[in-house]
């Protein structure tokens, strides 16, 4: 089955700087790559996703890059704020008809934004 | 639109006791997932349904865990004889039936502590 590696596990950045989280996957059939933010005691919430027909997607301060050849994708948060402090998870899935349709999550990154 | 709902929110058991978790997905969503999330780790899929059919239960410990979705709407996950290693948050998620509805929406989770 699919396996997703996520690094770093802990990330501390100064407010206003950028934060980057990197993930790699193994199954070349994976075509959907969401990112979830999870605050303590809360459920994971989707913040941005990218499909395999794109290489880059941006929503406000969030940028996702996908390199299908290298089987890597990454999340970049520009101009970080204290409210960005949370656990972040990447995930991969084959959402095509007949695909596995299930998310495999990375191990998570704890992001702390220092004021 | 109401989100995914789960109950109970918390459960504390002694080893060997049984417990059931209940999930009501977003209305109209045909696919329902159950995940186990140990503390400080990513969610790990246990089982998922499309309508009332089990699509993948390969990660469900079948000797003690069971899951049903008899009418293709809400679902119950049961642990027959809980072990301390089952301590985790149990998350339910649902996804829409259209081809472009890839996003999984998570419920608030049930936090289980097995003493």
């Amino acid at each position: 089955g699919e396996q997703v590696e996520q690094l770093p596990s802990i990330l501390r950045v100064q407010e206003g700087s950028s934060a980057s989280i990197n993930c790699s996957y193994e199954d070349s059939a994976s075509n959907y790559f969401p990112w979830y933010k999870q605050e303590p005691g809360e459920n994971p919430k989707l913040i941005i996703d990218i499909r395999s027909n794109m290489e880059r997607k941006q929503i406000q301060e969030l940028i996702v890059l996908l390199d299908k050849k290298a089987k890597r994708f990454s999340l970049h948060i520009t101009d970080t704020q204290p409210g960005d402090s949370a656990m972040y998870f990447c995930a991969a899935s084959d959402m095509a008809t007949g695909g596995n349709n299930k998310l495999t999550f990375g191990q998570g990154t704890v992001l702390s934004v220092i004021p | 639109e109401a989100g995914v709902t789960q109950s109970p929110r918390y459960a504390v058991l002694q080893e060997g006791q049984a417990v059931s978790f209940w999930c009501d997905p977003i209305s109209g969503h045909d696919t329902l997932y159950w995940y186990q999330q140990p503390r400080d780790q990513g969610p790990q899929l246990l089982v998922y349904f499309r309508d009332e059919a089990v699509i993948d239960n390969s990660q469900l410990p079948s000797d003690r865990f069971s899951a049903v979705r008899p009418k293709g709407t809400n679902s119950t996950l049961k642990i027959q004889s809980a072990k301390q290693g089952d301590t985790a948050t149990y998350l339910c998620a649902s996804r829409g039936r259209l081809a472009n509805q890839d996003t999984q929406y998570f419920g608030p989770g049930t936090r289980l502590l097995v003493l």
Side-chain angles (χ1 to χ4, degrees):
Chain A
E2 177 64 287
Q3 295 208 41
V4 176
E5 291 289 323
Q6 180 173 349
L7 291 171
S9 54
I10 298 172
L11 181 58
R12 292 167 59 90
V13 300
Q14 288 292 137
E15 181 178 355
S17 66
S18 296
S20 296
I21 303 172
N22 300 294
C23 290
S24 61
Y25 61 100
E26 294 188 355
D27 189 352
S28 56
S30 289
N31 51 33
Y32 175 64
F33 307 92
W35 288 87
Y36 285 83
K37 177 182 181 182
Q38 187 174 26
E39 305 200 52
E42 299 290 321
N43 55 341
K45 292 180 174 61
L46 181 75
I47 54 173
I48 191 169
D49 58 14
I50 191 166
R51 290 168 177 79
S52 58
N53 60 350
M54 300 176 69
E55 294 179 347
R56 184 182 190 278
K57 183 174 181 178
Q58 181 167 2
I59 298 176
Q60 297 180 332
E61 78 280 5
L62 303 176
I63 299 170
V64 173
L65 303 176
L66 173 63
D67 182 343
K68 287 180 292 184
K69 207 169 185 180
K71 295 182 188 172
R72 291 180 186 164
F73 57 114
S74 56
L75 173 69
H76 306 272
I77 307 173
T78 61
D79 189 24
T80 52
Q81 301 298 312
D84 294 325
S85 296
M87 176 81 94
Y88 289 81
F89 293 101
C90 63
S93 177
D94 175 6
M95 287 296 185
T97 302
N100 63 35
N101 284 270
K102 57 184 183 181
L103 290 175
T104 300
F105 283 84
Q107 299 90 333
T109 297
V110 177
L111 172 64
S112 298
V113 179
I114 305 161
Chain B
E1 179 181 83
V4 177
T5 55
Q6 291 185 246
S7 65
R9 294 295 311 276
Y10 303 92
V12 181
L13 306 175
Q14 298 289 336
E15 271 200 323
Q17 288 186 308
V19 64
S20 292
F21 309 133
W22 182 83
C23 172
D24 193 6
I26 292 172
S27 178
H29 280 192
D30 64 335
T31 308
L32 185 148
Y33 303 84
W34 282 103
Y35 291 88
Q36 180 191 63
Q37 185 177 24
R39 186 178 177 83
D40 296 331
Q41 295 185 35
Q44 298 157 13
L45 183 71
L46 292 172
V47 58
Y48 85 94
F49 298 84
R50 186 167 295 118
D51 298 317
E52 68 277 6
V54 173
I55 304 301
D56 188 336
N57 62 359
S58 59
Q59 301 304 309
L60 193 69
S62 57
D63 57 333
R64 296 184 301 109
F65 285 64
S66 61
V68 295
R69 194 186 184 200
K71 296 182 180 179
T73 52
N74 53 48
S75 175
T76 302
L77 175 69
K78 183 174 183 178
I79 306 176
Q80 196 69 21
S81 178
K83 297 182 178 179
Q84 288 186 353
D86 299 331
T87 293
T89 297
Y90 290 82
L91 294 163
C92 178
S94 71
R95 184 170 72 89
R97 64 178 64 246
L98 298 181
N100 62 350
Q101 290 181 309
D102 294 336
T103 302
Q104 290 187 24
Y105 296 91
F106 283 86
T110 297
R111 301 179 83 171
L112 173 65
L113 174 62
V114 183
L115 301 173

